[in-house]
Each structure stands twice: as C-alpha cells, then as structure tokens.
Amino acid sequence: MHTIMLIDDDPTMLRLLKTLIEIEGYKTEAWSGNSNIIPELSSKKPDAILLDVNLRGISGIDLLKSIRSDANFGLVPILMTSGMDYTEECMQAGATEFLLKPYMPDVLIEKLRSHLGRMESDGA
C-alpha cells in the first residue's frame, strides 16, 4: 500500500484530503510543521508528497527545496498546491506537479495514480 505524506497547515483540508486519499486505498501521514521535515520523511518513507505552498511560518517552496536537496527523496513525486498560481516557481524548485486550488478530487487521485504507477514501472 502506497503512503502519501500530506503537508498542509489547515486542519480541515488535512481531514478532507486524508478521507479522500484513504477511500482510494492509500495510507496517509500528515506533517504538523512543528519539526524538521527530513527526519519525519525518513521515518514515514512516503511514496508521494502533497505539499501546500502557503504554510504558517514556512514557505512550502523552501520546504520543497529542502526535501529535494536530500538524495533519499529525489525521486519521490511531490505535488504542490495553492490557491494562487505558483506553477513556475514550484516546477523550478523541483515539484513534480502543481495543482491550483480548488481542484477536483478526481484530478488529485489521477495525478497520484499516474506518478505512483510510473514509479512502479521504473522499478522504484
């Protein structure tokens, strides 16, 4: 079973995403933002990350760069989200995809399936 790490500072959004993703058969983990992300990712070993750009107290784009700078997470798909269009900034920082909020749940699930399926076919 694939694990998806949810990184968002909105508790309601986290609950909704958790429900949606778990209904689709994935396991979810959430990051609260109160610790260093790299040890958290190392212990949870997510297969994909869903990361909001605008987090309280930290830039999601800076967090993305930090994650991408760790060799253990270079191939993990990272889907960035925001209510503002940060496509270019996120892609330049190493995002796999950018989803503009509000997005339809089926779009998110299709993106996850696509990237996770690609990982499986690449032997990851």
Side-chain angles (χ1 to χ4, degrees), residues 7-8 17 50-54 79-84 86 90 97-101 103 108:
I7 303 174
D8 196 309
L17 288 169
L50 184 62
L51 171 56
D52 190 36
V53 170
N54 297 305
L79 286 70
M80 300 292 293
T81 68
S82 179
M84 295 177 60
Y86 288 101
C90 289
E97 291 267 353
F98 177 82
L99 295 172
L100 184 62
K101 291 178 182 178
Y103 49 82
L108 171 62

Side-chain angles (χ1 to χ4, degrees), residues 4-11 13-14 17-18 21 28-38 40-41 44 46 48-56 58-61 63-64 67 76-82 101 103:
I4 314 300
M5 176 66 78
L6 307 174
I7 303 174
D8 196 309
D9 59 0
D10 180 343
M13 180 60 93
L14 281 174
L17 288 169
K18 179 177 176 53
I21 292 169
T28 61
E29 296 287 344
W31 184 65
S32 63
N34 60 5
S35 61
N36 185 338
I37 187 66
I38 300 301
E40 187 78 12
L41 291 173
K44 304 295 184 187
I49 299 169
L50 184 62
L51 171 56
D52 190 36
V53 170
N54 297 305
L55 301 168
R56 244 178 257 117
I58 186 168
S59 159
I61 294 173
L63 199 54
L64 169 63
I67 295 167
V76 173
I78 301 177
L79 286 70
M80 300 292 293
T81 68
S82 179
K101 291 178 182 178
Y103 49 82

Side-chain angles (χ1 to χ4, degrees), residues 37-46 70 72-73:
I37 187 66
I38 300 301
E40 187 78 12
L41 291 173
S42 295
S43 75
K44 304 295 184 187
K45 297 181 181 19
D70 188 298
N72 294 315
F73 305 107

